[in-house]
Amino acid sequence: MRRLRTVLWVALAFLWAPIVLVALKGASIDAFISLWDRPDIMRALLNSVVLAFVTGVGATLMGTITAFWLPTLPGFGKRLVQAGLVFPMLLPEIAFGLAAMTWFIRMGFPLGWSTLAWSHIAFSFSYSTLIMKGHVETIDPGLLDAARDLGAPRWAVFLLCLLPQILPGLAASFVTSLSFSLADFLMS
């Protein structure tokens, strides 16, 4: 027991040493401020933000379409697609990124910004679909039917009845995809 306690204290000291060193030496944000003056860093930041936005929009759009499509599938097809949605979540990011790069090279696509965006969208697509699937399942069809019965045009049924019911899911899907894209350095 004593040896375990010693190992624990050594591990904690190892983990906390950098924080204690910075606190004793004096924390400074000068290094972070100087990054804003470097054009190469700012260009990389802009590329990352644009890629994350494109990924968020693309994955949310594709995930929403898939979430509405899933209930129309027959039993086996639905289970097969749902199993396929879980697979990218189980695969490590580096394996997914290497598989995507290999596929793009074999298909003859030049590696660049568009292949990077498609890779990020493909990775985030599963998460977006599963988020939206939960929200699509909670849609009240009676509300949509009532609006149609009362003579509401299709655009009004969509904007006033359907969109408010799925808007939290759209926001969650977008933010999740955006976050994954910003965090997926290994995929890039």
Side-chain angles (χ1 to χ4, degrees), residues 10-186:
V10 169
L12 285 174
F14 177 76
L15 292 172
W16 281 91
I19 296 170
V20 171
L21 185 66
V22 167
L24 292 176
K25 202 172 179 186
S28 171
I29 60 169
D30 293 338
F32 294 106
I33 292 173
S34 68
L35 290 177
W36 294 101
D37 296 332
R38 295 192 44 197
D40 55 335
I41 298 293
M42 294 311 298
R43 191 172 37 251
L45 177 65
L46 179 65
N47 286 339
S48 294
V49 170
V50 169
L51 177 64
F53 183 79
V54 168
T55 300
V57 170
T60 300
L61 180 64
M62 290 173 57
T64 303
I65 291 168
T66 306
F68 275 102
W69 173 64
L70 270 174
T72 66
L73 289 175
F76 179 72
K78 184 176 184 177
R79 286 192 303 273
L80 187 65
V81 170
Q82 287 176 339
L85 288 172
V86 174
F87 183 68
M89 295 179 186
L90 301 175
L91 201 61
E93 290 176 33
I94 189 74
F96 192 90
L98 286 172
M101 183 181 71
T102 303
W103 186 79
F104 285 130
I105 290 171
R106 285 202 175 216
M107 297 305 287
F109 294 114
L111 297 179
W113 204 91
S114 61
T115 55
L116 186 62
W118 279 113
S119 296
H120 279 245
I121 290 170
F123 184 76
S124 300
F125 165 72
S126 296
Y127 295 96
S128 294
T129 301
L130 293 175
I131 290 169
M132 288 309 299
K133 181 178 170 280
H135 286 273
V136 167
E137 289 172 351
T138 62
I139 291 174
D140 181 12
L143 185 63
L144 304 176
D145 291 338
R148 282 191 288 263
D149 289 345
L150 292 171
R154 286 182 155 195
W155 65 267
V157 172
F158 174 75
L159 281 179
L160 302 175
C161 298
L162 181 62
L163 190 60
Q165 292 185 66
I166 64 169
L167 197 57
L170 292 172
S173 174
F174 178 77
V175 169
T176 301
S177 299
L178 186 104
S179 301
F180 276 133
S181 180
L182 287 173
D184 281 342
F185 179 74
L186 291 174

